[in-house]
Amino acid sequence: RAKRPAEHVTLEHSKGRRGHSCTAWVWVDEDWASFEAEGWHQTRQEATSAAYAQAIAGLGVPVPKDCLLSDDARAKRCAKSAEKSRAQQLREQAIAAALQDLEAQALAALF
């Protein structure tokens, strides 16, 4: 059982150039408490999960051991995230190179 049970939870999402973020607002002890996801996340779902994790930790909700990520699972998740990030970076570089080529062709055609 939680040390400080919450009555209501609402989520506030935001998206910026660096990714997604989320804040969980929890009505507890007759007031709203905010629990913001740390850092920026690639997807809205990851940001929501991070905000819930912050709320769970902040409210002292006990988490069964079988619900926690193992070190192997955590390493796989980090590797997958790094792979996605690298793929996105390569896509952006390819687009930038293609745009430079188009610009050079357009300038050559004009002059």
Side-chain angles (χ1 to χ4, degrees):
R1 188 145 167 89
K3 294 176 188 173
R4 298 169 52 205
E7 295 181 33
H8 302 284
V9 177
T10 186
L11 298 172
E12 180 181 319
H13 294 277
S14 64
K15 184 175 188 296
R17 290 183 309 181
R18 293 180 280 172
H20 296 267
S21 185
C22 182
T23 301
W25 288 90
V26 180
W27 182 258
V28 63
D29 298 332
E30 301 298 320
D31 197 11
W32 287 102
S34 66
F35 299 94
E36 187 173 354
E38 291 181 7
W40 294 94
H41 301 272
Q42 288 187 345
T43 66
R44 183 175 172 150
Q45 292 81 8
E46 288 176 3
T48 301
S49 295
Y52 275 123
Q54 288 292 99
I56 287 170
L59 293 171
V61 177
V63 179
K65 289 185 180 186
D66 61 340
C67 292
L68 297 174
L69 282 178
S70 67
D71 290 338
D72 290 339
R74 196 171 289 132
K76 283 181 185 178
R77 189 174 80 180
C78 288
K80 187 176 180 182
S81 178
E83 183 180 312
K84 284 181 180 179
S85 178
R86 178 71 179 143
Q88 177 66 24
Q89 187 180 32
L90 290 173
R91 265 194 300 278
E92 290 172 358
Q93 288 174 353
I95 290 170
L99 288 173
Q100 285 178 343
D101 288 344
L102 285 172
E103 184 180 7
Q105 289 174 7
L107 287 173
L110 289 172
F111 300 105

